[in-house]
Amino acid sequence: MKNIIIFGAPGSGKGTYSAEIAERYGMGHISTGDVLRAEIKNETELGKIAKGYIDQGQLIPDELMIDILAKTYDAQPQGSGVIFDGFPRTIAQAEALKQMLAQRGHELGMMIELIVSEEVLMARLLRRAQIEGRADDNEETIRKRFAVYHSQTEPLSKWFAAEGIRHTFDWSICKTKEGMLEAIFQEIERQNK
Ligand code: AMP
């Protein structure tokens, strides 16, 4: 399977769809948010650094994040393709990912962009706050994460389009999780023919 980069704003469903895709196609799944939360839970040095940024709704510096990603990628079983969930979030990270994969004889594959209105995103994240109790799912931090997304991450959408690998899926058109999944699965299968 081709590697997949799953891309979208906080609350757009990256984790949910990544898990479904990974299960269906037997792919690896790297969620940088999950990697960082595990480091925080285990009270590692990296976790201590990451916590400061995450609680403020800010991004972890590129250099550190690129290093974490490369280590996590190399620890994955190779061959069945990997889903990158929450990485890259900046142009520098995207360039580094492309280079890291090329050095290993691998490719970016395809990018899946989840398009969801801010109103729906906010409602979902506030609901998730009640269920999962994530420290960064409060209204103030969510607003900061949206601002960071617009200024640092969203411009990447065009970067992927220029690479010729962007595929967009719009919640307002698909309307349900099942509808989104069906459209995403179809495109993945088309790309892997
Ligand atoms: P997520 O679970 O993907 O929403 O990530 C939660 C938080 O972890 C983000 O708000 C960032 O603070 C941090 N984070 C996760 N992935 C990255 C990344 N690729 N670059 C920088 N920070 C990240």
Side-chain angles (χ1 to χ4, degrees), residues 2 20 26 51 58 75 85 100-101 113 124 153:
K2 283 187 175 180
E20 297 273 358
K51 189 174 178 353
Q58 300 296 328
D85 161 11
M100 183 205 81
L101 291 169
E113 179 167 1
R124 280 187 194 171
T153 306

Side-chain angles (χ1 to χ4, degrees), residues 97-113:
L97 177 63
K98 188 177 171 185
Q99 194 189 4
M100 183 205 81
L101 291 169
Q103 280 165 353
R104 290 157 177 75
H106 304 166
E107 285 180 345
L108 284 172
M110 64 185 290
M111 179 270 221
I112 290 175
E113 179 167 1

Side-chain angles (χ1 to χ4, degrees), residues 3 28-39 46 64-78 81-85 87 97 100-101 104 106:
N3 288 324
H29 176 194
I30 299 177
S31 156
T32 45
D34 284 352
V35 171
L36 296 170
R37 281 184 287 275
E39 296 283 340
L46 172 59
L64 186 57
M65 213 53 234
I66 289 163
D67 194 41
I68 297 167
L69 193 273
K71 287 196 181 106
T72 311
Y73 183 75
D74 287 335
Q76 287 274 317
Q78 305 285 321
V82 169
I83 304 165
F84 296 97
D85 161 11
F87 189 99
L97 177 63
M100 183 205 81
L101 291 169
R104 290 157 177 75
H106 304 166

Side-chain angles (χ1 to χ4, degrees), residues 17-33:
Y17 295 113
S18 295
E20 297 273 358
I21 298 166
E23 192 184 314
R24 186 174 174 112
Y25 301 108
M27 299 175 72
H29 176 194
I30 299 177
S31 156
T32 45

Side-chain angles (χ1 to χ4, degrees), residues 10-11 14 31-34 36-37 50 53-62 65 85-90 93 128 134 136 145 148:
K14 296 189 294 293
S31 156
T32 45
D34 284 352
L36 296 170
R37 281 184 287 275
Y53 291 99
I54 292 181
D55 287 353
Q56 291 301 312
Q58 300 296 328
L59 297 183
I60 276 73
D62 284 336
M65 213 53 234
D85 161 11
F87 189 99
R89 267 177 151 98
T90 63
Q93 290 182 13
R128 184 169 79 184
R134 255 177 67 164
D136 57 346
R145 283 155 63 206
V148 167

